Amino acid sequence: MRQALALTTLVLLLGAGCGGDSQDPARATSLVVTLWPNGESGDSLSWDLFCEPTGGDHPDADAACAALTAVDDPFGPVPPPDRCAEIPGGDDATALVEGQFRGRRVRARFARRNACVVPRWDRIAPVFSTGS
């Protein structure tokens, strides 16, 4: 009975690490990038982005990883310009980035709706590029 319980526990533990999770513990950066080019009510695109080493199905993983590396805290806030809410942004594009970045868990939203949030998007813009 004990052996059966131990075997069942082992199977459950091994199975928990398999399946649809795109996170790769051997990589310093393993992210899922979801982009809504026309706002969240429209169609979305999604990619896996791996850095250190570079990989995944992102349209330009080399440029995206370079952009992330060039910024000390790419998922942190960016000071907005004065009166930013009064300055229009570029478009309705929105993005969500989830996963591991340099060993820490991240879940960050990005948008382009006004000048308050565009600088945050722009500093890592290759991450959101469709490659076209």
Side-chain angles (χ1 to χ4, degrees):
M1 182 69 171
R2 248 187 208 176
Q3 288 176 335
L5 180 59
L7 181 58
T8 301
T9 302
L10 179 61
V11 168
L12 289 173
L13 288 173
L14 290 174
C18 300
D21 186 4
S22 65
Q23 303 308 308
D24 183 347
R27 297 178 186 270
T29 298
S30 180
L31 301 169
V32 175
V33 179
T34 304
L35 172 68
W36 292 269
N38 300 307
E40 288 190 57
S41 61
D43 293 335
S44 67
L45 305 166
S46 186
W47 309 284
D48 290 324
L49 174 62
F50 306 133
C51 304
E52 305 168 41
T54 302
D57 60 355
H58 188 282
D60 192 351
D62 289 328
C65 290
L68 290 171
T69 301
V71 178
D72 287 334
D73 186 6
F75 302 105
V78 175
D82 290 338
R83 301 174 63 147
C84 64
E86 299 170 16
I87 304 169
D91 50 44
D92 291 332
T94 305
L96 175 65
V97 180
E98 301 176 283
Q100 293 288 325
F101 177 72
R102 296 180 184 156
R104 74 178 166 114
R105 194 109 181 105
V106 296
R107 185 173 198 280
R109 288 198 170 278
F110 293 81
R112 296 186 48 82
R113 69 183 166 275
N114 61 45
C116 297
V117 293
V118 168
R120 186 168 182 248
W121 178 292
D122 287 349
R123 71 181 179 168
I124 61 167
V127 172
F128 313 118
S129 174
T130 61
S132 55

